[in-house]
Amino acid sequence: MAAVDASGSNGKGQGVETSVTYYRLEEVAKRNSSKEIWLVIHGRVYDVTRFLNEHPGGEEVLLEQAGADASESFEDVGHSSDAREMLKQYYIGDVHPNDLKPEGGGKVMETHLTNRLSVSCASLPACLLC
Ligand code: HEM
């Protein structure tokens, strides 16, 4: 089993147990058939197997993204806040930190500019920090 169980609790918690299961991308990539479909959206792993028949956008699009990072296509569709809320139901864990890559050309510059200059990194021709 490639999943690593890492407890987020420091033992002095407020009675709320937070633990995250981390999955390697190679583990996610194996779940790519209609029998079992996992997707990555913004660094989180979702098991959407039971959602296949219920997805308003059809099962085809989910099958196309099966076992892969679907962040971009998920955003391209412009899913509603209801759809984003639904994600929680299918969340099973996070992508292992070693497998995380910066999205949208680099988080550092994106955050930096968004916070300080109100410009997004994506709107620049080239980002010097990314
Ligand atoms: C667990 C992940 C997903 C959930 C919970 C979800 C949920 C939904 C929901 C609730 C809708 C109805 C419209 C809305 O409320 O926005 C929808 C529509 C749609 N979804 Fe998803 N979706 C997911 C993943 C994806 C992915 C990965 C794609 C890839 C392309 C996709 C493509 C679409 C399309 C094409 C529509 C139809 C949009 C339209 O007819 O206007 N969805 N989805």
Side-chain angles (χ1 to χ4, degrees):
M1 193 59 170
V4 183
D5 198 30
S7 173
S9 165
N10 60 9
K12 302 177 212 160
Q14 318 272 314
V16 180
E17 183 64 28
T18 50
S19 88
V20 177
T21 304
Y22 291 111
Y23 296 100
R24 303 306 304 241
L25 288 182
E26 62 169 12
E27 190 71 17
V28 177
K30 290 179 200 161
R31 274 52 182 229
N32 64 355
S33 74
S34 54
K35 284 189 185 139
E36 201 178 17
I37 293 201
W38 290 8
L39 298 176
V40 172
I41 299 176
H42 300 312
R44 290 172 173 231
V45 183
Y46 299 94
D47 180 346
V48 294
T49 314
R50 64 196 159 93
F51 183 55
L52 253 199
N53 298 328
E54 295 166 25
H55 181 224
E59 59 179 12
E60 203 55 42
V61 285
L62 296 185
L63 282 163
E64 272 168 25
Q65 304 293 327
D69 190 325
S71 311
E72 215 176 304
S73 35
F74 183 83
E75 292 303 338
D76 283 351
V77 171
H79 280 96
S80 65
S81 48
D82 278 357
R84 285 163 202 280
E85 197 60 28
M86 286 171 76
L87 283 176
K88 291 181 192 164
Q89 296 174 42
Y90 306 102
Y91 171 76
I92 54 168
D94 285 1
V95 172
H96 192 282
N98 290 356
D99 284 345
L100 280 177
K101 27 180 192 230
E103 286 186 23
K107 267 200 169 90
V108 178
M109 189 61 173
E110 198 174 332
T111 312
H112 182 82
L113 284 173
T114 310
N115 288 348
R116 294 171 147 252
L117 304 171
S118 308
V119 201
S120 128
C121 188
S123 65
L124 298 171
C127 171
L128 297 176
L129 294 184
C130 296

